[in-house]
């Protein structure tokens, strides 16, 4: 190393702080130090002594190393702040102390109210100095302390003076500081100055006033809205930032008035704007408006957005492309121009632009993979991008758009860097693979291998869960992948730190394992868990074991031996489960096995808790009846083709009450509905009006054991009317009897309200399950002032005819999932079995027939029988449900495709009338 | 929520040193309400970004654009729905303004000696999460920091030489 070189080295050492030095001595590997390491090794020994010497010398000179803020003590700084009171003011020292205070606040140091107030008051004296920087730091201190100090408003007059003064450097920041400490009443006092500031010709003043107004819109809408003319004037400013801020303020003052927003858009889209920021905002406003008005893509707004694709600023072009991509129901033709600009961005030298482009293309690929195919070549180039986020997005996009043949290659590419990317992106990759498996089921072996490798790598819970979910969905989709998948999962739980995942997998093993050709090989994995894991996992393992014993007679003796061991477990729950299963299994009865091992409880857990609590409060003579507990609403098992947006999943993960539990609570609060018993089922919402009418009414049908309650959720969309005593009168077509109306007392503009109608179901004819109601909404109208909402004193009665409401057999049946349909079928027995054959002439495919039957009966398809394998001419559909009153009902429908579909329906239930009702309604 | 959708907002502006410690942090919303959560977030960001020089990343559901210079790491953070280029504009403006104010000497020590300049600059660039100014010239002009920094013409020969030496050295070591 040359003499010069070493000089440079020593110099830097002196400029570095102590820590860096000691880091280097310890051989730290941070990137910066590594730079040193390779320069130094040979001369390290040589210069060692010199460096320390020099370092010490410099240290003495500068006092305390290079970070003057390193060991700041809050109390010492506050002590120092006393010099604020000295006369004359020393601007330099005061500035330094203010900097220290802000630095401490910035580091997250906590200031008590008293000490903050004290420092704040001392600071106010500094307004006497005319030092510019010092004054500016005072503004900052005011803003930082606005929430911790008391009586900050005492600086109002000083700030008002500065904002109207001659010094332009002060005016903008003074406005911002002032607005930070102002409330609605004080705002009126400075209103005149604000108006002037908004139209001031100095851009920084105008921008400051506009942005501050924007922050205050939420708090003091009524005051700020009077400045709309000034904002309008500012919007035609030559300064790009002023234009942007003015447009923002204008929009926020008018956003509730669709007409005004439309006018504003028309004006600015025609006149053109200078500011790219303002353009971007116009695009957002336009696409929001398009979305709200459900405007077609021939609207001038859409033309405007499309024209922005030709803007010369990349930011605007990207915003426009992204707006088009995010529009619902965009056709491939409309997407094409947006996709082609994004394609150009893919080869930009700016990483942010490439990232933005490929992320948006990824979104397009979810809905319109074919539209992105044109970009495949550009995306291929991004696979090796040095930014891993871009590379990952490129690959996952390609996985969606590429052909089956490219899958292997892409998967290889991903595995080369999957360990380097963040968990968020790993989840994206897993989701892409999951989607791919649905698309190319034949590739499942490649995917399965890949997933099992990923499962072995390190990763957080979310990531592992995504992988496990993905494997489970592959197993469910492809029966031939079941054994490999289960084997991978077994291996995973051997060393799994996440209790939730382990129990989930054990549950799956219990469900699927017994039905594989070699069930015995899973027993070892499950029993290992009993020996090694925490209580929750052990309990799940015991349940899984029991299922093997119940299904496979030859395994039963061994399972019983293992159960015996589990009965000696140290945990209560594990022991209880083992004892229970042991006793059930020893009976060797199919019906018992079905009821207590395969198909567990189907009641709602919060509901059960509530009922049991109620029962313990008022113990009755008769034993607790499970049938009185509301049933669990089966989660709708949708296909997960839509990939959830990656968002901060920060929601607390607690057991949320289901929709039905919420309804149950709401209804129980209404005195008229007490004594109806537990809520049996709540239907989906039914629209009783067109979407764009004066009043919007939706109905939810609540079924009880002998009654139905119709809940009408009404919204009044007229801002010049207040509706009162709103109720919906119902005229039944059958022998249903309306016994009570609960009106909604008030229905002001745009605030939804509910009214209820109680109907008794016919007792004498249990088969009368369907009925049509003609509905009329009756109410008292009071006209009111659209601005204030103040109603007139007098009102008049009026009515509004709604669409007819249908009650069908599906409203009387609750979906229940029987994980093992065969066992449940045997359990119910053939006492009340009935069978009939129907011809569905109008149906052309098996899929359609299956869909129709499920939606008509409102029952839960079991054993994934709702999916018809391709190229089959016959299919068997299994449906399970519980009929109103708590009677299990099972339906087996054999379908054959010939000319139309022929259907043989077999119904079993514990109650004869139920069987009749179902067959009657099908026919 | 509506406000978020239409107006572009930053959620945070951060400057960390090369140990990942906070030199400056300004959060504009309540995604990370406590100091503890903020510091954890900063650690996470730093760990994910300090080794690669790749400008943009998605972390904890937020878009993070970043830039590093010598021993400083600059971050601008926005929601994942934000226009990435908009965030980039803020980052570039911040960096270029500081670069001018510190005479291209954007490193930890120089920054610490000019903390008030940094505070004022960020205050001019972003206000309550809304971009106030995106032009570094304007920002520098508005901060108008006079202080004790003598203009180039009045610097002594040794001072000029020293700062030149420093710059050459850093460009070599980078």
């Amino acid at each position: 190393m040359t003499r010069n070189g070493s000089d440079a080295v020593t110099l830097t050492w002196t400029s570095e702080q102590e820590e860096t030095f000691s880091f280097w001595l310890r051989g730290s590997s941070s990137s910066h130090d590594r730079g040193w390491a390779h320069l130094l090794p040979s001369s390290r020994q040589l210069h060692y002594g010199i460096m320390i010497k020099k370092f010490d010398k410099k240290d003495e000179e500068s006092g305390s190393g290079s970070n003057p803020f390193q060991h700041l003590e809050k109390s010492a700084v506050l002590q120092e702040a006393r010099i604020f009171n000295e006369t004359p003011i020393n601007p330099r020292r005061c500035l330094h102390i203010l900097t220290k205070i802000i630095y401490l606040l910035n580091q997250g140091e906590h200031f008590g109210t008293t000490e903050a107030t004290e420092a704040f008051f001392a600071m106010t004296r500094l307004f006497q100095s005319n030092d510019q920087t010092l004054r500016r730091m005072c503004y900052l201190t005011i803003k930082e302390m606005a929430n911790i100090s008391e009586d900050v408003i005492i600086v109002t007059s000083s700030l008002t003076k500065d904002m109207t003064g001659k010094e332009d450097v002060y005016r903008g920041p003074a406005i911002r500081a002032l607005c930070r400490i102002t409330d609605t009443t004080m705002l009126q006092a400075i209103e005149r100055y604000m108006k002037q500031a908004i139209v001031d010709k100095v851009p920084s003043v105008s921008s400051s006033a506009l942005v501050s107004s924007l922050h205050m819109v939420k708090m003091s809408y009524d005051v700020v809205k009077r400045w709309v003319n000034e904002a309008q004037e500012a919007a035609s400013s030559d300064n790009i930032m002023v234009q942007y801020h003015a447009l923002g303020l204008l929009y926020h003052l008018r956003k509730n008035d669709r007409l005004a927003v439309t006018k504003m858009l028309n004006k600015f889209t025609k006149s053109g704007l200078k500011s790219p920021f303002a353009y971007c905002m116009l695009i957002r406003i336009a696409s929001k408006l398009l979305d709200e008005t459900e405007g077609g893509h021939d609207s001038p707004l859409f033309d405007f957005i499309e024209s922005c694709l030709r803007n010369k600023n990349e930011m605007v072009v990207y915003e426009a492309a992204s707006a088009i991509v995010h529009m619902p129901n965009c056709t491939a033709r409309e997407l094409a121009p947006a996709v082609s600009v994004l394609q150009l961005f893919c080869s930009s030298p700016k990483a942010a632009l490439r990232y933005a482009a490929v992320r948006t293309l990824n979104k397009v690929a979810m809905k319109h993979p074919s539209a992105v195919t044109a970009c495949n070549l550009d995306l291929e180039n991004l696979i090796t991008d040095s930014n891993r986020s871009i590379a990952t997005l490129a690959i996952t996009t390609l996985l969606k758009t590429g052909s089956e043949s490219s899958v292997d290659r892409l998967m290889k590419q991903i595995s080369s860097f999957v360990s380097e990317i963040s968990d968020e992106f790993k989840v994206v990759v897993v989701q892409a693979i999951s989607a791919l498996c649905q698309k190319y089921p034949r590739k499942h072996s490649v995917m399965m291998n890949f997933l099992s490798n990923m499962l072995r790598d390190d990763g957080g819970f979310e990531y592992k869960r995504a992988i496990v979910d993905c494997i489970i969905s592959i197993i469910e989709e492809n029966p031939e992948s079941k054994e490999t998948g289960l084997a991978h999962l077994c291996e995973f739980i051997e060393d799994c730190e996440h209790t939730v995942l382990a129990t989930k997998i054990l549950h799956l093993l219990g469900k699927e394992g017994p039905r594989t050709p070699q069930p015995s090989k899973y027993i070892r994995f499950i029993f290992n868990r009993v020996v090694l894991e925490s209580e929750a996992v052990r309990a799940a393992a015991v349940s899984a074991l029991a299922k093997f014993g119940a299904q496979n007679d030859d395994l039963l003796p061994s399972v019983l031996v293992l159960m015996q061991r589990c009965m000696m477990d140290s945990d209560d729950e594990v022991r209880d489960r083992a004892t229970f299963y042991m006793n059930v299994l020893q009976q060797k009865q199919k019906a018992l096995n079905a009821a207590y091992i395969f198909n567990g409880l189907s009641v709602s857990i919060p509901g059960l808790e509530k009922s049991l609590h109620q029962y313990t409060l008022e113990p009755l003579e008769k034993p607790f009846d499970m049938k009185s507990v509301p049933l669990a609403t089966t989660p709708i098992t949708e296909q997960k083709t839509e990939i959830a947006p990656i968002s901060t999943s920060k929601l607390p993960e607690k057991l949320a009450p289901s929709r039905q539990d919420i309804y149950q609570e709401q209804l129980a609060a209404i005195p008229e509905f007490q004594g109806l018993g537990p809520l049996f089922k709540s239907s989906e919402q039914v629209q009783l009006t067109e979407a764009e009418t004066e009043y919007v009414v939706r109905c939810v049908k609540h079924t009880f054991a002998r009654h139905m309650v119709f809940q009408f959720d009404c919204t009044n969309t007229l801002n010049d009317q207040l509706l009162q005593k709103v109720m919906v009168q119902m005229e039944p077509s059958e022998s249903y009897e309306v016994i009570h109306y609960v009106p909604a007392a008030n229905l002001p503009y745009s605030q939804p309200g509910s009214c209820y109608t109680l109907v008794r179901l016919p007792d004498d004819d249990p088969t009368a399950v369907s009925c049509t109601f003609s509905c009329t909404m009756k109410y008292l109208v009071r006209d009111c002032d659209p601005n204030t909402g103040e109603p007139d004193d007098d009102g008049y009665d009026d009515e509004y005819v709604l669409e007819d409401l249908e009650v069908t057999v599906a409203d009387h049946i609750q979906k229940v999932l029987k994980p093992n349909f065969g066992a449940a079928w045997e359990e119910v027995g053939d006492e009340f079995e009935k069978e009939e054959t129907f011809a569905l002439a109008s149906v052309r495919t098996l899929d359609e027939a299956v869909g129709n039957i499920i939606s008509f009966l409102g029952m839960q398809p079991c054993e994934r029988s709702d999916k018809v394998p391709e190229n089959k001419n016959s299919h068997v559909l299994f449906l399970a449900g519980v009929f109103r009153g708590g009677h299990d009902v099972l339906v087996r429908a054999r379908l054959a495709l010939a000319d139309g579909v022929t259907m043989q329906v077999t119904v079993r239930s514990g109650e004869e009338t139920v069987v009749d009702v179902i067959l009657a309604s099908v026919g | 929520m509506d406000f978020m959708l239409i107006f572009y907002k930053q959620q945070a502006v951060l400057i960390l040193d090369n140990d990942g410690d906070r030199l400056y942090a300004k959060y504009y919303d309540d995604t990370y309400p406590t100091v503890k959560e903020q510091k954890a977030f900063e650690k996470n960001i730093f760990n994910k970004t300090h080794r690669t020089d790749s400008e943009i990343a998605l972390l904890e559901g937020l878009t993070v654009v970043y830039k590093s210079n010598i021993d400083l790491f600059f971050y601008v953070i926005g929601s994942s729905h934000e226009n990435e280029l908009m965030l980039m504009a803020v980052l570039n403006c911040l960096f270029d303004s500081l670069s001018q104010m510190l005479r291209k000497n954007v490193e930890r020590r120089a920054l610490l000696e000019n903390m008030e300049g940094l505070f004022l600059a960020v205050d001019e660039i972003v206000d309550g999460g809304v971009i106030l100014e995106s032009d570094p010239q304007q920002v520098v002009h508005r901060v108008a920091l006079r202080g004790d920094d003598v203009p180039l013409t009045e610097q002594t020969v040794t001072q000029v030489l020293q700062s030149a030496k420093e710059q050459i050295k850093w460009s070599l070591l980078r």
Side-chain angles (χ1 to χ4, degrees):
Chain A
M1 196 179 268
T2 64
R3 178 72 200 137
N4 276 351
S6 70
D7 237 347
V9 166
T10 37
L11 249 172
T12 320
W13 269 114
T14 56
S15 70
E16 283 298 317
Q17 56 160 153
E18 283 170 0
E19 287 142 47
T20 323
F21 182 61
S22 57
F23 257 127
W24 175 69
L25 287 179
R26 273 185 268 128
S28 150
S29 61
S30 94
S31 61
H32 171 214
D33 294 316
R34 220 182 297 135
W36 282 106
H38 78 90
L39 267 176
L40 278 171
S42 58
S43 56
R44 193 172 181 174
Q45 301 285 325
L46 223 141
H47 294 284
Y48 193 67
I50 310 171
M51 280 191 289
I52 289 181
K53 221 175 196 171
K54 281 232 176 186
F55 187 86
D56 285 343
K57 200 173 146 206
K58 178 79 181 183
D59 203 6
E60 278 162 27
E61 282 167 10
S62 65
S64 62
S66 68
N67 185 350
F69 302 103
Q70 184 134 59
H71 300 294
L72 280 188
E73 279 283 333
K74 180 179 69 177
S75 50
V77 174
L78 290 174
Q79 192 81 18
E80 279 186 276
R82 293 198 176 158
I83 67 154
F84 291 170
N85 288 321
E86 281 171 18
T87 331
I89 293 167
N90 178 343
R92 225 149 177 271
R93 282 185 66 193
C94 293
L95 175 65
H96 195 58
I97 293 162
L98 278 187
T99 311
K100 282 182 188 170
I101 292 178
I102 298 183
Y103 182 85
L104 283 176
L105 283 167
N106 200 275
Q107 288 293 324
E109 187 84 37
H110 176 75
F111 279 63
T113 312
T114 338
E115 52 190 12
T117 312
E118 221 164 82
F120 185 84
F121 273 69
M123 185 274 304
T124 54
R125 234 196 117 246
L126 301 181
F127 270 92
Q128 289 173 8
S129 161
N130 276 328
D131 185 277
Q132 277 196 1
T133 317
L134 182 62
R135 181 71 60 87
R136 296 284 310 277
M137 287 302 278
C138 287
Y139 300 148
L140 272 192
T141 318
I142 293 170
K143 287 208 274 187
E144 294 286 338
M145 288 200 165
N147 288 335
I148 36 182
S149 165
E150 282 174 343
D151 299 326
V152 283
I153 52 168
I154 58 152
V155 287
T156 304
S157 64
S158 306
L159 289 173
T160 317
K161 207 174 113 211
D162 281 353
M163 84 178 254
T164 52
K166 286 204 176 61
E167 281 275 12
D168 285 346
V169 188
Y170 290 161
R171 291 168 63 201
I175 292 172
R176 279 180 275 135
L178 183 57
C179 291
R180 183 78 176 74
I181 58 168
T182 301
D183 61 19
T184 307
T185 44
M186 279 165 49
L187 189 60
Q188 277 161 337
I190 56 162
E191 184 175 1
R192 187 160 58 92
Y193 305 123
M194 287 301 287
K195 280 185 172 177
Q196 280 167 5
I198 289 176
V199 293
D200 198 283
K201 58 184 184 305
V202 180
S204 72
V205 176
S206 175
S207 273
S208 293
L210 286 163
V211 173
S212 301
S213 318
L214 198 59
H215 292 316
M216 287 187 300
V217 166
K218 244 185 258 144
M219 186 182 77
S220 326
Y221 178 81
D222 290 329
V223 182
V224 179
K225 97 178 161 195
R226 296 200 288 257
W227 309 343
V228 75
N229 286 335
E230 281 75 15
Q232 190 90 47
E233 195 181 327
S236 51
S237 160
D238 280 341
N239 183 289
I240 58 167
M241 292 319 285
V242 173
Q243 194 172 51
Y244 168 55
H245 296 140
L247 195 65
L249 182 60
L250 278 179
Y251 174 70
H252 281 283
L253 291 176
R254 290 172 174 173
K255 67 182 168 199
N256 292 327
D257 183 351
R258 198 177 284 165
L259 197 68
V261 173
T262 316
K263 266 190 202 156
M264 186 177 101
L265 273 176
N266 279 341
K267 185 182 160 203
F268 288 109
T269 50
K270 279 205 189 80
S271 65
L273 293 159
K274 282 199 166 142
S275 162
F277 298 105
Y279 257 115
C280 288
M281 189 156 58
L282 273 191
I283 294 173
R284 286 202 172 185
I285 300 173
S287 65
K288 186 162 180 280
L289 201 63
L290 266 178
D291 189 40
E292 282 173 356
T293 55
E294 287 161 22
H297 296 162
D298 46 354
S299 129
L301 291 176
F302 185 82
D303 291 342
F304 162 70
I305 297 179
E306 200 173 22
S307 75
C308 288
L309 289 175
R310 293 181 290 279
N311 193 293
K312 58 185 184 301
N313 192 305
E314 281 167 347
M315 194 190 291
V316 179
V317 177
Y318 168 62
E319 186 71 51
S322 152
I324 294 178
V325 165
H326 285 99
M327 275 176 204
N329 333 315
C330 220
T331 61
R333 202 176 54 81
E334 286 156 341
L335 277 174
V339 169
S340 61
V341 299
L342 292 173
Q343 184 177 8
L344 278 180
F345 288 164
C346 281
S347 45
S348 159
K350 294 180 196 158
L353 195 53
R354 295 199 301 275
Y355 172 88
V358 70
R359 199 164 95 100
T360 315
L361 283 175
N362 193 14
K363 290 215 182 86
V364 185
M366 285 178 196
K367 276 195 211 146
H368 304 275
S370 56
V372 189
T373 333
C375 310
N376 275 3
L377 211 60
D378 306 78
L379 290 170
E380 294 267 353
N381 290 332
L382 293 180
I383 291 181
T384 48
D385 199 291
S386 62
N387 185 321
R388 289 309 184 204
S389 309
I390 297 178
T392 316
L393 284 168
I395 290 185
T396 50
T397 315
L398 281 172
L399 284 176
K400 291 183 194 115
T401 63
S403 60
E404 191 162 356
S405 56
S406 60
V407 169
D408 294 286
R409 193 169 49 84
L410 290 171
M411 299 295 274
K412 205 173 257 170
Q413 192 82 40
I414 306 179
S415 37
S416 66
F417 66 77
V418 77
S419 58
E420 294 172 40
I421 55 178
S422 66
D423 268 16
E424 269 99 344
F425 276 112
K426 284 181 185 165
V427 174
V428 175
V429 172
V430 175
Q431 285 168 336
I433 294 174
S434 175
L436 202 60
C437 289
Q438 284 178 2
K439 202 161 137 204
Y440 304 120
R442 272 185 294 162
K443 285 284 168 195
H444 67 80
S445 60
V446 186
M447 319 280 181
M448 198 58 106
N449 260 332
F450 183 75
L451 288 170
S452 69
N453 283 333
M454 285 173 102
L455 207 49
R456 282 187 208 117
D457 292 341
D458 291 339
F461 171 66
E462 286 298 328
Y463 171 47
K464 296 281 161 147
R465 185 169 71 174
I467 303 177
V468 169
D469 285 348
C470 183
I471 293 186
I472 293 178
S473 78
I474 296 180
I475 293 175
E476 286 176 346
E477 298 286 326
N478 308 286
E480 64 266 44
S481 68
K482 191 189 280 179
E483 287 208 49
T484 33
L486 288 180
H488 289 312
L489 292 176
C490 282
E491 189 194 326
F492 174 62
I493 53 169
E494 288 283 273
D495 181 23
C496 170
E497 55 191 318
H498 308 294
T499 311
V500 183
L501 292 182
T503 48
K504 185 169 187 172
I505 293 172
L506 282 169
H507 180 74
L508 180 80
L509 283 178
K511 200 173 121 212
E512 300 290 342
R515 289 187 244 177
T516 54
Q518 265 189 303
S520 58
K521 68 179 174 187
Y522 300 105
I523 301 277
R524 180 173 64 88
F525 289 102
I526 298 175
F527 191 68
N528 276 349
R529 306 276 67 70
V530 178
V531 184
L532 299 168
E533 298 278 355
S534 65
E535 296 81 14
V537 180
R538 293 207 299 271
V542 168
S543 304
L545 271 183
K547 288 184 186 146
F548 280 86
Q551 181 100 354
N552 306 87
D553 290 337
D554 44 337
L555 287 178
L556 184 59
S558 346
V559 169
L560 285 176
V561 172
L562 294 176
M563 277 298 171
Q564 205 102 46
R565 278 200 55 180
C566 299
M567 282 163 70
M568 264 121 47
D569 197 280
S570 58
D571 182 70
D572 290 350
E573 170 71 20
V574 180
R575 258 196 330 270
D576 289 355
R577 282 198 194 188
T579 317
F580 173 71
Y581 288 131
M582 182 86 187
N583 286 314
V584 174
L585 286 174
Q586 277 168 341
Q587 304 298 318
K588 296 186 183 164
Q589 285 184 25
K590 279 242 152 63
L592 277 181
N593 285 349
Y596 296 110
I597 297 182
F598 294 123
N599 303 322
L601 286 177
S602 51
V603 294
S604 131
I605 301 296
L608 178 61
E609 188 185 343
K610 216 171 288 167
S611 313
L612 285 174
H613 182 65
Q614 195 62 37
Y615 187 79
T616 50
L617 288 181
E618 303 160 18
L620 300 170
E621 285 298 305
K622 57 180 184 181
F624 180 74
D625 184 11
M626 271 311 254
K627 283 183 180 167
S628 68
V629 181
L631 293 167
T633 37
T634 16
I636 305 147
T637 44
E638 288 172 280
Q639 280 188 315
K640 286 185 202 148
T641 40
E642 184 82 13
I643 287 169
I646 331 150
S647 60
T648 34
S649 49
K650 284 196 145 189
L651 296 171
E653 289 201 15
K654 64 178 182 194
L655 187 68
S658 68
R659 182 171 154 270
Q660 187 165 337
D661 291 327
I662 297 169
Y663 281 135
Q664 166 101 35
E665 293 263 310
Q666 287 173 352
L667 291 176
I670 299 169
E672 283 85 350
F673 301 147
Q674 278 167 4
L676 296 184
L679 176 58
F680 177 73
K681 180 179 186 177
S682 296
S683 73
E684 293 299 311
Q685 280 195 334
V686 188
Q687 290 276 5
L688 293 185
T689 51
E690 304 280 325
E692 294 275 319
T693 45
E694 299 95 312
Y695 312 112
V696 178
V697 181
R698 299 190 188 90
C699 177
V700 181
K701 299 174 269 186
H702 301 290
T703 313
F704 290 85
R706 291 204 175 72
H707 301 84
M708 285 188 86
V709 170
F710 299 92
Q711 173 183 344
F712 297 94
D713 297 324
C714 317
T715 313
N716 169 13
T717 63
L718 299 177
N719 62 359
D720 56 355
Q721 282 191 357
L722 168 70
L723 305 190
Q724 289 186 320
K725 296 180 198 156
V726 185
M727 60 170 224
V728 175
Q729 187 174 345
M730 302 176 77
E731 299 287 343
S733 65
E734 305 287 326
S735 56
Y736 283 44
E737 185 191 352
V738 177
I739 48 181
H740 200 81
Y741 291 107
V742 179
N746 278 310
L747 200 59
Y749 165 59
S750 85
Q751 287 176 22
S754 298
C755 60
Y756 301 88
T757 306
L758 175 62
V759 169
R760 180 165 32 227
L761 297 171
D763 278 334
D764 45 342
D765 182 11
T767 54
V769 287
S770 54
C771 179
T772 307
F773 292 90
S774 52
C775 306
T776 316
M777 184 161 81
K778 299 199 164 178
Y779 46 85
L780 179 79
V781 183
R782 289 172 73 185
D783 290 326
C784 61
D785 184 335
N787 292 322
T788 59
E790 198 62 40
D792 291 350
D793 293 336
D794 303 325
Y796 52 92
D797 286 321
D798 201 353
E799 57 179 52
Y800 189 82
V801 178
L802 305 173
E803 282 171 34
D804 287 353
L805 182 67
E806 303 266 355
V807 172
T808 63
V809 64
D811 292 316
H812 302 271
I813 299 175
Q814 178 67 284
K815 290 179 177 187
V816 168
L817 181 68
K818 298 281 184 196
N820 191 325
F821 187 83
W825 186 254
E826 295 303 320
E827 181 198 341
V828 173
D830 55 2
E831 195 183 344
F832 298 115
E833 181 181 287
K834 288 200 180 171
E835 196 168 76
E836 241 175 280
T837 309
F838 304 91
L840 311 173
S842 60
V843 186
R844 288 279 149 244
T845 65
L846 287 177
D847 262 332
E848 197 184 341
V850 167
N852 285 351
I853 299 168
I854 294 172
S855 66
F856 179 77
L857 287 178
M859 293 169 74
Q860 176 69 33
C862 298
E863 310 277 338
R864 301 183 73 76
S865 61
D866 51 331
K867 288 205 178 139
V868 183
E870 279 173 50
N871 306 323
K872 283 274 188 71
N873 285 329
S874 61
H875 183 67
V876 187
L877 174 67
F878 302 112
L879 295 171
V882 171
F883 194 80
R884 177 168 54 81
H887 308 292
D888 268 336
V889 50
L890 300 171
V891 171
R892 186 182 65 199
R894 294 177 198 272
L895 303 164
L897 185 68
D899 263 351
V901 175
T902 320
M903 172 172 77
Q904 183 194 46
V905 180
T906 316
V907 187
R908 283 186 178 189
S909 170
E911 179 73 35
E912 192 170 10
T913 46
V914 178
V915 178
D916 292 336
V917 166
I918 301 235
L919 279 180
S921 60
V922 173
Chain B
M1 192 58 209
D2 195 11
F3 190 79
M4 289 285 293
L5 277 179
I6 297 297
F7 227 93
Y8 298 90
K9 288 198 86 177
Q10 281 69 52
Q11 295 193 342
V13 174
L14 306 176
I15 302 178
L16 308 179
D17 68 7
N18 60 355
D19 294 324
D21 289 329
R22 174 196 285 193
L23 290 180
Y24 180 82
K26 186 95 189 149
Y27 289 80
Y28 297 103
D29 69 357
D30 293 332
T31 318
Y32 301 96
T34 66
V35 179
K36 203 175 152 205
E37 285 168 279
Q38 292 177 359
K39 295 253 160 120
F41 174 65
E42 286 158 28
K43 264 276 117 56
N44 186 14
I45 282 198
F46 183 74
N47 289 337
K48 289 278 157 57
T49 54
H50 78 284
R51 261 177 264 111
T52 57
D53 192 20
S54 43
E55 208 172 290
I56 187 162
L58 185 70
L59 274 173
E60 304 189 16
L62 299 168
T63 302
V64 177
V65 295
Y66 60 99
K67 194 179 186 99
S68 66
N69 196 51
I70 310 180
D71 49 3
L72 291 176
F73 291 80
F74 297 83
Y75 300 89
V76 173
I77 292 140
S79 105
S80 60
H81 308 290
E82 275 318 329
N83 187 325
E84 290 84 350
L85 303 181
M86 192 78 79
L87 298 176
M88 213 58 209
V90 175
L91 180 68
N92 286 335
C93 177
L94 172 67
F95 185 83
D96 294 345
S97 312
L98 284 177
S99 173
Q100 277 194 41
M101 285 159 52
L102 304 173
R103 299 216 180 71
K104 299 221 182 333
N105 207 6
V106 186
E107 44 121 359
R108 183 168 178 273
R109 191 174 59 123
L111 186 74
L112 280 170
E113 281 169 8
N114 284 287
M115 276 314 256
E116 66 274 14
L118 167 69
F119 292 148
L120 293 176
V122 177
D123 183 55
E124 288 293 346
I125 299 171
V126 186
D127 183 79
V130 177
I131 313 181
L132 199 57
E133 182 54 68
S134 62
D135 177 6
Q137 296 296 343
Q138 284 296 325
V139 173
V140 175
H141 172 70
R142 286 181 202 169
V143 171
L145 203 60
R146 295 163 306 121
D148 47 16
D149 295 327
V150 241
L152 195 65
T153 46
E154 292 169 33
Q155 278 181 1
T156 62
V157 180
T158 28
Q159 274 176 317
V160 174
L161 272 182
Q162 176 159 350
S163 80
K165 223 189 246 171
E166 294 239 318
Q167 280 187 27
I168 292 169
K169 183 183 66 208
W170 284 121
S171 59
L172 282 175
L173 289 172
R174 200 133 30 114

